[in-house]
Amino acid sequence: MAEDAPISERVVVALNVLRHDIGILELAAHLAARKQAQLIAVYVEETNLINLAELPFAIEIDRICAAERKVDLPRLMRTLRSSTEQIQQTLYRLNQSLRIDVSFRTVRGHLVSAVMSQIEQVDVVFLPKRTEPYKSGVKKKISTFPIWVVFDGSMEAKRALRMSVELAELESSRLNVALPAETEAESEALKRLALESCVQSAAAQFVSVRPFDAPNLLRSMQRTGCRLLVVKRQNVDFSKAISETVACPVVLV
């Protein structure tokens, strides 16, 4: 019966005017090509930003020259239109070069909650970091950072681990596996489980994070830098918190 047919995996990239990362979209496209999956770009028009632009007293400050100017809705809508046009042009190019199925959607709401409402449980979701003005050489440096993944031994974490291995191979990156263990014995058990699962194919470094919480994980990541953080997908609140906390793109699996 039709309802028993497996749902095809899709690779989803969440984008908005502040998380406009063409490089992450291209990485997601290569992953989709490797997995023979559909690539979906979901562009979220942020409700709060649009509401702010409608206020008569709202101003924005340029992060480079510190100049002030009024936030106005027509200019914001032009920026959104230009942003979506660039993304659609990139999708067309990726469709032609990689021969993958691509799709583009525009929704209005808040980035994480709007995207999570659009996806299926089997989807891989890329949440780009906030776009920042780069100094010379910084982009090149970021590309040398390792990919991080959190592995707690659960079935969901095993899936995240397998995804991190694939991404490390695509990016020719090192792989750092964060182990949320309280003792050395627990760390060794998780390490053995990870090696049995799939990590033997990648050059991985295991990092025990004790106690395991967001601040300690961030401190560990800051020591090496982070190209991507791969984590198992939990609830919307967790996904939103992690994407707003870490200073790198997040992949929810």
Side-chain angles (χ1 to χ4, degrees):
M1 295 177 64
E3 60 267 28
D4 294 326
I7 302 173
S8 298
E9 189 167 47
R10 303 176 299 174
V11 177
V12 178
V13 184
L15 301 156
N16 65 15
V17 71
L18 296 177
R19 297 176 186 260
H20 185 110
D21 191 334
I22 297 300
I24 289 297
L25 183 59
E26 291 173 340
L27 173 59
H30 282 89
L31 177 65
R34 176 174 176 145
K35 299 175 75 64
Q36 297 184 317
Q38 181 185 28
L39 173 66
I40 302 176
V42 180
Y43 192 89
V44 182
E45 296 179 349
E46 287 280 353
T47 304
N48 288 344
L49 188 59
I50 293 172
N51 292 341
L52 178 64
E54 294 176 333
L55 298 176
F57 51 81
I59 62 169
E60 61 179 327
I61 301 176
D62 191 290
R63 289 174 292 183
I64 299 176
C65 64
E68 293 185 2
R69 62 182 177 185
K70 184 181 181 301
V71 179
D72 67 90
L73 188 58
R75 187 173 75 248
L76 173 61
M77 298 312 292
R78 287 194 299 271
T79 300
L80 293 176
R81 185 164 57 251
S82 174
S83 180
T84 57
E85 287 174 354
Q86 183 187 12
I87 292 167
Q88 291 181 78
Q89 290 168 4
T90 302
L91 286 173
Y92 176 79
R93 173 174 57 81
L94 293 169
N95 168 260
Q96 295 297 303
S97 61
L98 299 176
R99 301 299 177 186
I100 57 174
D101 183 18
V102 301
S103 176
F104 179 77
R105 304 176 187 176
T106 300
V107 297
R108 184 167 290 190
H110 303 290
L111 182 74
V112 175
S113 56
V115 170
M116 298 294 275
S117 68
Q118 294 283 313
I119 63 177
E120 301 290 346
Q121 186 62 33
V122 293
D123 291 331
V124 178
V125 184
F126 285 75
L127 301 175
K129 64 176 288 187
R130 287 180 178 271
T131 305
E132 297 289 348
Y134 286 102
K135 296 180 180 179
S136 176
V138 172
K139 284 186 178 179
K140 183 177 180 181
K141 183 178 180 181
I142 288 175
S143 67
T144 67
F145 289 163
I147 290 173
W148 278 77
V149 60
V150 177
F151 181 71
D152 62 9
S154 66
M155 291 302 297
E156 296 83 1
K158 288 180 181 179
R159 186 165 179 260
L161 182 62
R162 288 192 292 270
M163 178 56 60
S164 69
V165 171
E166 286 195 76
L167 290 169
E169 291 173 351
L170 278 173
E171 290 278 271
S172 299
S173 298
R174 293 169 291 130
L175 179 63
N176 284 8
V177 183
L179 304 175
E182 295 299 325
T183 66
E184 188 64 32
E186 290 177 0
S187 292
E188 286 301 315
L190 285 175
K191 181 178 177 179
R192 286 195 300 271
L193 185 57
L195 290 170
E196 291 169 1
S197 299
C198 63
V199 171
Q200 64 270 17
S201 61
Q205 178 177 347
F206 294 89
V207 181
S208 297
V209 182
R210 304 175 191 159
F212 186 81
D213 53 28
N216 278 332
L217 176 61
L218 291 176
R219 278 191 287 271
S220 296
M221 291 166 55
Q222 286 168 354
R223 296 188 188 103
T224 63
C226 181
R227 174 70 179 104
L228 298 166
L229 172 62
V230 184
V231 295
K232 65 181 184 181
R233 191 160 73 244
Q234 299 181 36
N235 55 50
V236 173
D237 290 339
F238 168 82
S239 302
K240 182 178 180 180
I242 199 72
S243 71
E244 292 178 350
T245 301
V246 300
C248 68
V250 176
V251 181
L252 304 175
V253 182

